């Protein structure tokens, strides 16, 4: 049944993009179509991250694509967004991997790192030769990261780190972890550290039994008296705003990525409804209730595209604020999850089988709704901005 | 080795449902998604590989308008060193010979050892490569599916012929080759490449830059003119089997046995 994915463009959205932006999107789409789509259902079934794509994605410049210099592609925010859209049309887990490598690991090194750290890590991370993970969330500190318990203590020429991190994408495959900890000798100021994962006392254990993001590695990290040189501190980091600025980068990519997942669900649902016949041998696409669902999906996808594009354009001129990104992440992930649920409904019983991508996207999007600031936390970020009252 | 690859922007047949225009002498071109002609993309990949192995420089060229610049940028992002756009109002409506005449002028303006084209344009008739070679008085080989650079200004080339056989030839440089799909595995366009070429100026040449007589190209010079465009009427070749799924399968098996497709 599956026909080639041709994109979802109801209002000539493409005319709002320039040649380079379309080129980035089309080439990422081609790569994903040829390399991820054929294997993703089996990966999802097996709970396997397709490691074989790490190197090719690095060669194509997917990692840290929005950063300039140090072997990074130097893309605009809109180009970066379109790239993540196509990655997530493939799978949220694989997009998560790229987002973590880029927005959560390379970005903080670029923003808060020393020149030596940038030279040492960024070019190899851009190629996927060094993989990173981001340790902020803890078992008892999720939406409120300021409650973190992980501590760093300066001891001679070293920092000693202790703590637990949870829900860490790529934790057990990473070569380095960006660990956020309160520094005891500095009034418990939150600072970022580059921790090589082969240091004694560092352990990563994978989370098993996930119903979501099965094609991505999720781990917990344990740091017990992990000693790192003073040079591993990200010197420019200081306070909760440092990790939050990383999250803002990744959230922006998610706002676009969710559109990709929604497009996959819409495309599959539309095709299915045109083939599937019920009642008087008519395609179910001719049924009013099915049309209502499809129209809802295409309308919400179209609105989400415009929202993401405008936030991207603002970001490219340095005017995107955290609440803009929050609105895009909150709205677009919600709409994608609703599209997936409606799509599952249109496919009836077939919707629960992994022959079709919808249920996988639906399960993935439950995680996407929660991570990088839950739907509700983004509500409060926008709420604080418009009312002036913080309601956290 | 200086290599020129002639590329073209064509409607992407995998992304479009091609329909006739209301006038009936063309396809409906509004809302079409365009991309690089696939065989041309193989030719560019081959050129990039030859230049990487034997040294040299790859130039991509297209005859068209500003909109066609996007395929030049795509191929440059893939690895071609530079692009040239040949554009002039006088070029519009050129037939195959007209396009070859325009390209010939560029080849003579530069110094190219090797000129590659795709085997054919997806919306064309495989005319330009051969005509270009003839106008330049260069040797020509078509349907090439392997190239080896030899010493002494020669190439060893392979061509697939009927029955899957391969014909091997030697050809003197400079020459024109039309490249068959499958000769290589074209690389993906990388994000770094796209950014690197984004700000590169692509020179545009018209009739006066190329020294082309406007009367010899475009509608004025075209001696082949398209007069009609239509979908053939469906023939009576198809038989629709009727009945339940099981009955249809039985009938199909019988038919395949009768035609010798099943023993």
């Amino acid at each position: 049944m599956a026909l080639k994915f041709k994109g979802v463009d109801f209002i000539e959205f493409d005319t709002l993009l320039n040649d380079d932006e379309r080129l980035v999107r089309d080439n990422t789409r081609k790569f994903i179509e040829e390399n991820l789509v054929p294997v993703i259902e089996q990966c999802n079934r097996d709970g396997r991250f397709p490691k074989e794509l790490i190197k090719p994605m690095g060669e194509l410049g997917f990692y840290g694509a929005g950063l300039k210099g140090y072997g990074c592609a130097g893309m605009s925010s809109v180009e970066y967004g379109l790239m993540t859209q196509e990655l997530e049309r493939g799978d949220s887990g694989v997009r998560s991997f790229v987002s973590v490598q880029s927005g959560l690991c390379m970005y903080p090194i670029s923003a808060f790192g020393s020149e030596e750290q940038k030279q040492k890590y960024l070019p190899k991370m851009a190629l996927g030769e060094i993989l990173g993970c981001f340790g902020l969330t803890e078992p008892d500190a999720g939406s409120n990261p300021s409650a973190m318990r992980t501590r760093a203590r300066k001891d001679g020429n070293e920092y000693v780190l202790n703590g637990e991190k949870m829900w860490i994408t790529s934790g057990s495959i990473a070569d380095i972890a960006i660990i956020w900890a309160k520094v005891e000798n500095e009034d418990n100021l939150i600072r970022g550290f580059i921790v090589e994962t082969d240091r004694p006392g560092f352990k990563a254990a994978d989370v098993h039994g996930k119903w979501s993001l099965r094609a991505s590695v999720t781990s917990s990290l344990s740091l017990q008296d992990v000693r790192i040189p003073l040079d591993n501190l990200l010197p420019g980091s200081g306070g909760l705003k440092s990790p939050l600025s990383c999250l803002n980068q990744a959230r922006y990519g998610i706002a676009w990525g969710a559109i990709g997942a929604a497009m996959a669900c819409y495309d599959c649902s539309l095709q299915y409804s045109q083939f599937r016949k019920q009642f008087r041998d008519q395609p179910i696409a001719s049924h009013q209730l099915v049309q209502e669902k499809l129209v809802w999906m295409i309308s919400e996808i179209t609105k989400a595209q415009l929202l993401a594009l405008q936030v991207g354009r603002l970001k490219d001129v340095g005017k995107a604020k955290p609440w803009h990104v929050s609105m895009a992440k909150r709205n677009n992930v919600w709409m994608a999850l609703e599209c997936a649920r409606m799509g599952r409904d249109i496919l009836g019983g077939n919707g629960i089988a992994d022959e079709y991508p919808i249920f996988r996207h639906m399960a993935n999007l439950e995680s996407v709704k929660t991570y990088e600031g839950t739907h509700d936390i983004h509500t409060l970020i926008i709420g604080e901005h418009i009312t002036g009252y913080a309601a956290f | 080795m200086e290599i020129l690859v002639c590329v073209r922007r064509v409607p992407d047949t995998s992304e479009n449902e091609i329909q006739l225009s209301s006038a009936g002498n063309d396809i409906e071109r509004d809302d079409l998604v365009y991309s690089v002609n696939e065989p041309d993309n193989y030719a560019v990949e081959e050129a990039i590989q030859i230049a990487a192995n034997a040294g040299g420089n790859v130039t991509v060229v297209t005859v068209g308008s500003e909109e066609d610049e996007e395929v030049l940028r795509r191929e440059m992002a893939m690895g071609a060193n530079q692009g040239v756009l040949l554009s002039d109002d006088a070029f519009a409506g050129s037939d195959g010979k007209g396009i070859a005449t325009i390209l010939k002028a560029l080849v003579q303006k530069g110094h190219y050892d090797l000129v590659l084209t795709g085997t054919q344009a997806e919306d064309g008739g495989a005319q330009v490569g051969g005509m270009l070679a003839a106008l330049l008085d260069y040797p020509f080989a078509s349907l090439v599916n392997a190239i080896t650079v030899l010493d002494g200004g020669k190439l060893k080339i392979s061509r697939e012929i009927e029955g899957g056989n391969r014909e091997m030839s030697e050809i003197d440089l400079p020459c024109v080759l039309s490249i068959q799909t499958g000769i290589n595995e074209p690389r993906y366009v990388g994000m770094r490449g796209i950014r690197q070429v984004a700000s590169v100026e692509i020179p545009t040449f018209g009739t006066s830059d190329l020294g082309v007589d406007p009367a010899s190209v475009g509608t004025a010079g075209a001696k082949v003119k398209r007069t009609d465009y239509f979908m053939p009427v469906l023939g009576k070749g198809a038989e629709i089997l009727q009945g339940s799924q099981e009955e249809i399968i039985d009938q199909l098996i019988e038919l395949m046995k009768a035609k010798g497709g099943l023993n």
Side-chain angles (χ1 to χ4, degrees):
Chain A
M1 183 198 96
L3 301 175
K4 187 169 180 282
F5 179 71
K6 295 176 184 174
V8 177
D9 185 356
F10 187 75
I11 52 162
E12 297 199 21
F13 179 79
D14 271 17
T15 60
L16 300 174
L17 305 176
N18 64 36
D19 286 354
D20 288 341
E21 288 161 354
R22 287 197 302 274
L23 193 55
V24 165
R25 189 216 29 217
D26 293 348
N27 283 291
T28 309
R29 181 174 295 169
K30 183 172 158 61
F31 175 82
I32 292 299
E33 193 72 31
E34 293 175 359
N35 295 276
L36 180 59
V37 171
V39 301
I40 186 59
E41 298 306 346
Q42 194 61 46
C43 285
N44 193 65
R45 206 182 271 191
D46 298 344
R48 181 181 81 83
F49 169 64
K51 281 186 184 173
E52 63 274 21
L53 298 184
I54 294 174
K55 200 163 168 267
M57 292 199 292
E59 285 166 0
L60 286 181
F62 287 174
Y63 309 133
L67 303 176
K68 291 188 171 59
Y70 306 98
C72 301
M75 281 187 189
S76 72
S77 298
V78 172
E79 288 168 345
Y80 179 80
L82 288 162
M83 183 192 87
T84 57
Q85 170 188 295
E86 294 306 316
L87 288 170
E88 192 147 359
R89 190 184 71 82
D91 188 71
S92 302
V94 174
R95 198 272 305 139
S96 299
F97 168 79
V98 175
S99 290
V100 167
Q101 177 81 352
S102 306
L104 297 184
C105 295
M106 295 175 70
Y107 172 77
I109 293 173
S110 156
F112 312 123
S114 65
E115 186 55 36
E116 291 74 28
Q117 288 169 339
K118 292 179 199 179
Q119 300 276 6
K120 181 176 177 186
Y121 291 109
L122 293 179
K124 286 188 175 171
M125 293 183 82
L127 290 170
E129 291 170 2
I130 292 179
L131 301 183
C133 67
F134 179 83
L136 176 67
T137 298
E138 299 186 358
D140 296 318
S143 290
N144 179 18
S146 64
M148 72 169 65
R149 290 183 186 158
T150 301
R151 294 289 188 274
R153 176 171 46 84
K154 205 185 232 180
D155 182 21
N157 292 328
E158 294 176 318
Y159 282 104
V160 185
L161 274 69
N162 279 286
E164 302 285 329
K165 298 290 179 182
M166 191 64 194
W167 306 117
I168 309 303
T169 298
S170 304
S172 67
I173 58 170
D175 303 293
I176 59 167
I178 306 294
I179 296 292
W180 298 91
K182 289 182 175 170
V183 184
E184 291 176 349
N185 326 51
E186 291 184 37
D187 276 344
N188 285 333
L189 180 70
I190 293 174
R191 305 200 76 177
F193 300 87
I194 301 172
V195 180
E196 297 88 345
T197 56
D198 57 0
R199 296 244 170 219
F202 184 99
K203 282 196 189 118
D206 286 346
V207 177
H208 294 290
K210 287 184 295 175
W211 292 108
S212 178
L213 299 181
R214 291 181 52 74
S216 129
V217 174
T218 311
S219 317
S220 61
L221 308 180
S222 160
L223 295 95
Q224 289 191 336
D225 290 327
V226 177
R227 291 182 167 270
I228 54 171
L230 296 181
D231 286 347
N232 282 27
L233 169 75
L234 290 171
S237 67
L240 194 57
K241 67 178 188 301
S242 301
L244 292 186
S245 73
C246 303
L247 293 178
N248 218 38
Q249 300 300 317
R251 287 166 181 174
Y252 168 74
I254 292 171
W256 280 97
I259 298 172
M263 283 177 168
C265 295
Y266 169 75
D267 184 60
C268 176
S269 306
L270 178 62
Q271 286 191 36
Y272 183 89
S273 70
Q274 289 167 330
F275 280 90
R276 172 75 172 175
K277 291 180 178 172
Q278 288 291 285
F279 299 112
R280 296 171 297 283
D281 204 28
Q282 291 295 308
I284 61 170
S286 68
H287 299 171
Q288 291 183 353
L289 292 176
V290 172
Q291 286 193 3
E292 197 277 336
K293 292 183 177 71
L294 291 168
V295 169
W296 191 93
M297 290 161 82
I298 186 79
S299 304
E300 290 302 324
I301 290 170
T302 303
K303 289 189 268 181
Q305 285 175 309
L306 295 172
L307 177 56
L309 180 66
Q310 171 62 2
V311 174
R313 296 274 183 245
L314 287 176
K315 206 164 179 301
D316 277 331
V317 293
K319 287 187 176 174
K321 303 293 184 200
W323 44 89
H324 296 144
V325 176
S326 284
M327 183 179 280
K329 193 269 182 185
R330 178 182 182 275
N331 178 78
N332 291 8
V333 176
W334 160 78
M335 84 79 200
L337 186 52
E338 289 301 310
C339 281
R341 288 171 178 162
M342 277 188 193
R344 210 292 306 153
D345 206 13
I346 291 172
L347 266 66
N350 284 317
I352 68 161
D354 70 3
E355 182 185 347
Y356 301 94
I358 292 182
F359 208 101
R360 174 171 52 82
H361 281 299
M362 187 169 83
N364 284 342
L365 287 162
E366 290 289 351
S367 294
V368 180
K369 188 183 180 193
T370 295
Y371 70 21
E372 307 276 354
T374 66
H375 185 83
D376 290 346
I377 288 294
H378 287 298
T379 307
L380 299 183
I381 292 171
I382 302 166
E384 180 184 11
H385 174 65
I386 59 174
T387 65
Y389 294 105
F392 297 97
Chain B
M1 192 179 307
E2 288 295 318
I3 308 173
L4 180 71
V5 189
C6 310
V7 301
R8 178 149 178 206
R9 179 172 168 268
V10 295
D12 188 333
T13 48
S14 66
E15 296 243 358
N16 297 294
E17 284 169 25
I18 305 294
Q19 291 181 332
L20 292 185
S21 65
S22 51
N25 61 353
D26 198 0
I27 56 173
E28 191 56 69
R29 290 184 186 268
D30 287 349
D31 303 332
L32 280 187
V33 175
Y34 286 83
S35 59
V36 66
N37 181 49
E38 202 186 352
D40 300 348
N41 199 43
Y42 283 84
V44 173
E45 174 64 38
E46 194 63 19
I48 294 169
Q49 290 186 17
I50 292 170
N53 295 329
N57 202 32
V58 178
T59 303
V60 285
V61 62
T62 193
V63 180
S65 61
E66 238 174 59
E67 290 174 330
D68 297 288
E69 210 181 279
E70 71 175 21
V71 297
L72 295 177
R73 286 202 188 280
R74 186 197 184 281
E75 301 308 301
M76 288 160 69
M78 199 168 121
N81 302 88
Q82 59 259 323
V84 178
L85 176 65
L86 305 181
S87 186
D88 197 304
D89 290 344
F91 296 164
S94 291
D95 60 7
K97 189 177 172 219
I99 300 288
T101 303
I102 299 161
L103 290 169
K104 176 199 166 196
L106 179 76
V107 174
Q108 290 183 329
K109 194 176 154 71
H111 298 282
Y112 299 103
D113 305 297
L114 176 61
V115 180
L116 303 182
T117 70
T119 286
Q120 73 174 90
E122 284 159 3
D123 63 348
Q127 300 180 20
V128 172
M131 285 203 223
L132 174 60
L135 291 175
L136 288 163
D137 197 20
Y138 281 6
F140 174 66
S142 59
L143 303 167
V144 172
N145 67 358
I147 300 175
T148 314
V149 180
L150 303 176
D151 292 335
K154 286 180 191 296
L155 300 177
K156 187 174 173 185
I157 54 169
S158 156
R159 180 165 85 88
E160 193 174 300
I161 52 178
E162 284 299 321
N165 295 313
R166 277 189 161 203
E167 177 192 82
M168 305 301 293
S169 312
E170 278 187 15
I171 188 166
D172 289 348
L173 293 170
C175 66
V176 180
L177 305 178
S178 84
I179 301 298
Q180 182 64 289
T181 55
I183 187 172
N184 51 42
E185 183 71 36
R187 68 198 68 191
Y188 293 100
V189 175
M191 305 298 129
R192 296 181 189 90
I194 293 171
R195 182 52 48 233
Q196 277 161 11
V197 303
S199 53
V200 174
E201 277 291 311
I202 293 182
T204 304
F205 299 137
T207 45
S208 55
D209 308 297
L210 294 168
V212 169
D213 175 8
S216 68
V217 296
T219 313
K223 294 196 170 61
V224 181
K225 292 195 169 72
R226 183 168 62 225
T227 55
D228 200 3
Y229 221 105
F230 66 95
M231 294 273 191
V233 181
L234 282 181
K236 282 194 171 177
E239 181 182 351
I240 309 290
L241 302 178
Q242 305 284 349
S244 69
Q245 200 170 21
E246 287 75 18
E247 287 164 358
I248 290 173
I249 291 168
D250 288 343
Q251 290 176 53
L252 188 61
I253 289 171
E254 287 309 314
L255 273 172
M256 288 172 79
K257 278 183 183 166
K259 305 270 183 198
L262 275 179
N263 295 318

